[in-house]
């Protein structure tokens, strides 16, 4: 390792010394009938035979399952990797994983105050209408890439595969670190809002109010620990969680969008809901004001790519992954529109909502009563935990993929799957540690915290866009298609996706108000700049010499 990497040494080398207990990986399964020994060298091939009889339905299903799993392992082998996860993820779980990670229901009003100041009701409703076609273009492009390259790492791995040996290592390196930065910000935001909802439940039900930042940070740390604990149980239990979350979120959404408007004492007019425009930003340009209000819609409609982080545990991944992304995105857009309309028609006092420390709790309380408010908030807390567990698993799987390829220092330590659950426990603990350390400055200043959500949206969208850039520049006519592809529309869809990501990224770096001071500065631009600077600095210090892109692991031992 290059001696000029002191900070990476601190993060990735010193931290492992704190984990004294050796974690051994269990025997890996390469498809059906291909048992890979722990040393990764001896492959024992077994042959399954199926006897024919009158009752052949079950046998046909078994044979089909073997063929699908063998095809998954074969595709992974073609990409240079051995099968290390048990294939347990179905289409329902794939779509549920992405849908639960997006978590439109608990995240819908996270940035409510800012959106109402920057466009008001028009930005909330029409923001979804404006953003949705572009999100669908990004999702279609990602579904095409997922189908072609069903490998853990998602956008990180795709950048290399689409760029070739010359530019691939640099593009994969930058994309990987930017995406890690974005997912870490997502994890932090989700855990923090979950803590806010719990505090809101307490404040609604009790006379004594909690307004301590320390209490929020304490709950934040608790939820991170719980999320790590559940994520450690692996992909199989993640599947159980996401099956439950789909039903929980759908039923919870139906209850809230029906009960809240029905019980609301008064209702704003349709004209106010769909056409009212407010501008409290200080900007004179109406267009800039409206686009600044798109942050809420942008935050609610990210996370659909995370299903790619469990691609190597997905059955028939070439088809299932692509379908899962599209189902999740369409479902989330419909859910966002329904929740938006129900919310807008239930608002009682807009000024109170904008000044409230918990806009969601205030909205529920004024529209219903204390008991229902607490019940609705519990629905949001549970839904947010699903998003937190999925986000933790996604970032851990991404960093595990980067460790597998040597993109992070001390790769042999981090490239471990622990226990029978096949989970990257060491990386999960590292992620939790980073998130806890990074949140601590919020105890001194809320300005610091306000940039986290914008940073998450920008970093994630930049990472989403980089594979499309690689596709357009390096592989226009040589793209290896999977079962799902866009045909002649592929180029246009990729151009639209890249154009929107570039435009939206610039808008999200604008200060929320004008004129700007230390309190109103949008520090997201500084944070994304820091992530890019970090990745490029360590690329030139050592990455360009030591990192050659995704590595083949077919004959490699753990």
């Amino acid at each position: 390792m290059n001696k000029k990497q002191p900070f990476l040494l601190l993060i990735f080398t010193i931290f492992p010394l704190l984990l004294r207990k050796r974690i051994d990986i269990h025997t890996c399964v390469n498809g059906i009938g291909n048992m890979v020994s722990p040393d990764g060298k001896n492959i024992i091939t077994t042959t399954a035979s199926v006897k024919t009889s009158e009752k052949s339905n079950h046998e046909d299903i078994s044979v089909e399952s073997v063929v699908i799993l063998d095809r998954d392992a074969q595709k992974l082998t073609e990409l240079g990797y051995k099968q290390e996860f048990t294939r347990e993820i179905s289409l329902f779980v794939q779509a549920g994983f992405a849908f639960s990670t997006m978590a439109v229901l608990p995240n819908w009003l996270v940035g409510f105050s800012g959106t109402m100041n920057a466009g008001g009701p028009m930005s909330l409703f029409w923001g979804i209408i404006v953003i949705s076609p572009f999100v669908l273009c990004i999702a279609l492009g990602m579904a095409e890439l997922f189908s072609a390259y069903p490998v853990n790492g998602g956008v990180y791995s795709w950048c290399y595969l689409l760029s070739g040996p010359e530019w691939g290592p640099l593009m994969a390196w930058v994309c990987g670190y930017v995406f890690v930065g974005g997912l870490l910000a997502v994890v932090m935001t989700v855990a923090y809002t979950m803590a806010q909802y719990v505090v809101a439940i307490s404040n609604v039900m009790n006379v004594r109010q909690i307004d301590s930042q320390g209490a929020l940070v304490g709950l934040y740390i608790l939820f991170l620990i719980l999320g790590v604990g559940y994520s450690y149980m692996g992909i199989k239990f993640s599947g159980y969680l996401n099956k439950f979350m789909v039903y929980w979120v759908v039923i919870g959404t139906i209850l809230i969008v029906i009960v809240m408007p029905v019980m609301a004492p008064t209702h704003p007019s349709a004209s106010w809901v769909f056409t009212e425009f407010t501008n409290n930003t200080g900007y004179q340009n109406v267009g800039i004001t409206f686009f600044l209000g798109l942050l809420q819609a942008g935050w609610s409609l990210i996370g659909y790519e995370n299903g790619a982080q469990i691609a190597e545990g997905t059955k028939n991944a070439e088809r299932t992954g692509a379908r899962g992304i599209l189902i999740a995105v369409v479902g989330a857009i419909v859910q966002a529109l329904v929740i938006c309309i129900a919310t807008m028609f239930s608002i009682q006092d807009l000024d109170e909502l904008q000044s409230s420390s918990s806009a969601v709790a205030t909205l529920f309380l004024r529209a219903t009563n204390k008991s229902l408010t607490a019940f609705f908030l519990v629905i949001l807390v549970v839904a947010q935990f699903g998003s937190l567990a999925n986000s933790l698993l996604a970032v851990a799987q991404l960093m595990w993929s980067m460790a597998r390829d040597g993109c992070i220092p001390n790769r042999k330590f981090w490239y471990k799957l622990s226990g029978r659950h096949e989970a990257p426990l060491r990386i999960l603990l590292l992620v939790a540690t980073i998130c806890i350390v990074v949140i601590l400055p919020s105890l001194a200043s809320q300005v610091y915290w306000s940039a986290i959500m914008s940073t998450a949206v920008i970093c994630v969208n930049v990472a989403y866009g980089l594979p499309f850039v690689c596709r357009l520049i390096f592989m226009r006519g040589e793209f290896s298609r999977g079962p799902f592809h866009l045909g002649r529309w592929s180029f246009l869809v990729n151009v639209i996706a890249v154009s929107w990501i570039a435009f939206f990224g610039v808008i999200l770096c604008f200060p929320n108000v004008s004129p700007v001071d230390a309190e109103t500065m949008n520090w997201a631009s500084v944070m994304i700049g820091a992530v890019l600077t970090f990745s490029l600095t360590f690329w030139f210090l050592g990455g360009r010499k030591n990192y050659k892109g995704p590595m083949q692991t077919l004959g490699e031992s753990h």
Side-chain angles (χ1 to χ4, degrees), residues 231-509:
S231 297
Y232 169 64
M233 298 175 73
I235 292 177
K236 184 175 183 178
F237 281 84
S238 176
Y240 296 152
L241 176 65
N242 284 287
K243 287 178 181 178
F244 168 75
M245 279 299 161
V246 169
Y247 294 110
W248 179 269
V249 171
V250 169
I251 295 172
T253 299
I254 293 172
L255 287 174
I256 291 174
V257 300
I258 292 177
V259 174
M260 184 170 60
V262 168
M263 292 190 64
T266 62
H267 302 93
S269 66
S271 175
W272 184 87
V273 169
F274 297 112
T275 64
E276 181 69 16
F277 185 85
T278 59
N279 183 4
N280 298 321
T281 63
Y283 289 102
Q284 299 302 314
N285 188 296
V286 174
I288 291 178
T289 302
F290 176 79
F291 285 121
L292 285 174
L294 296 184
L295 174 60
Q296 182 57 58
W299 166 248
S300 299
L301 298 177
I302 61 171
Y304 42 89
E305 183 275 344
N306 284 340
Q309 305 307 327
I310 55 174
E312 293 175 32
T314 300
K315 303 173 185 176
N316 196 13
E318 294 172 297
R319 290 178 170 82
T320 302
R323 294 170 181 168
I325 288 177
L326 298 178
I327 291 171
V329 169
V330 172
I333 291 173
V334 172
Q335 184 188 25
L337 286 170
V338 171
I339 294 174
C340 176
I341 294 173
T343 297
M344 300 306 294
F345 277 107
S346 301
I347 291 177
Q348 302 300 300
D349 188 336
L350 181 59
D351 292 334
E352 182 186 25
L353 280 180
Q354 290 181 278
S355 61
S356 174
S357 60
S358 179
V360 179
T362 302
L363 171 70
F364 290 157
L365 189 60
R366 295 294 176 257
T368 60
N369 54 50
K370 284 187 176 183
S371 298
L372 279 174
T373 296
F375 175 63
F376 288 161
L377 288 172
V378 168
I379 292 176
L380 301 190
V381 168
V382 175
Q384 198 72 317
F385 179 78
S387 179
L388 176 62
N390 286 347
S391 298
L392 280 166
L393 184 59
V395 68
Q397 294 278 20
L398 170 62
M399 294 180 70
W400 177 85
S401 299
M402 294 170 68
R404 173 173 64 179
D405 299 333
C407 192
I408 61 178
N410 205 6
R411 64 175 294 267
K412 291 185 178 179
F413 178 84
W414 301 110
Y415 176 39
K416 291 287 184 180
L417 296 176
S418 55
R420 61 188 179 87
H421 299 301
E422 301 172 335
L425 177 60
R426 294 175 177 180
I427 292 180
L428 283 167
L429 294 174
L430 174 64
V431 168
T433 301
I434 293 173
C435 290
I436 291 171
V437 171
V438 173
I439 196 64
L440 294 180
S442 71
L443 292 170
S445 173
Q446 281 293 306
V447 176
Y448 166 84
W449 170 252
S450 64
I452 297 294
M453 188 170 75
S454 294
T455 302
V457 177
I458 296 171
C459 283
V460 169
N461 275 285
V462 168
Y464 284 1
L466 285 175
F468 301 139
V469 172
C470 297
R471 164 87 166 84
L472 293 172
I473 295 176
F474 303 109
M475 200 173 285
R476 288 192 181 185
E478 303 175 3
F479 178 63
S480 177
R481 295 175 175 176
F484 175 87
H485 61 85
L486 302 176
R488 62 191 179 92
W489 296 101
S490 179
F491 180 80
L492 178 60
V493 167
N494 279 256
V495 169
I496 293 173
V498 171
S499 301
W500 170 253
I501 288 170
F503 172 76
F504 195 41
V506 172
I507 290 297
L508 291 178
C509 288

Side-chain angles (χ1 to χ4, degrees), residues 27-47 70 73 77 81-83 553-557:
T27 300
C28 301
V29 180
N30 186 355
I32 292 292
N34 296 328
M35 298 299 294
V36 183
S37 63
D39 61 7
K41 298 179 180 179
N42 301 319
I43 300 177
I44 304 170
T45 304
T46 60
T47 304
D70 279 346
T77 300
Y81 297 109
K82 63 185 177 183
Q83 184 71 52
T553 61
L554 289 176
E556 182 177 304
S557 64

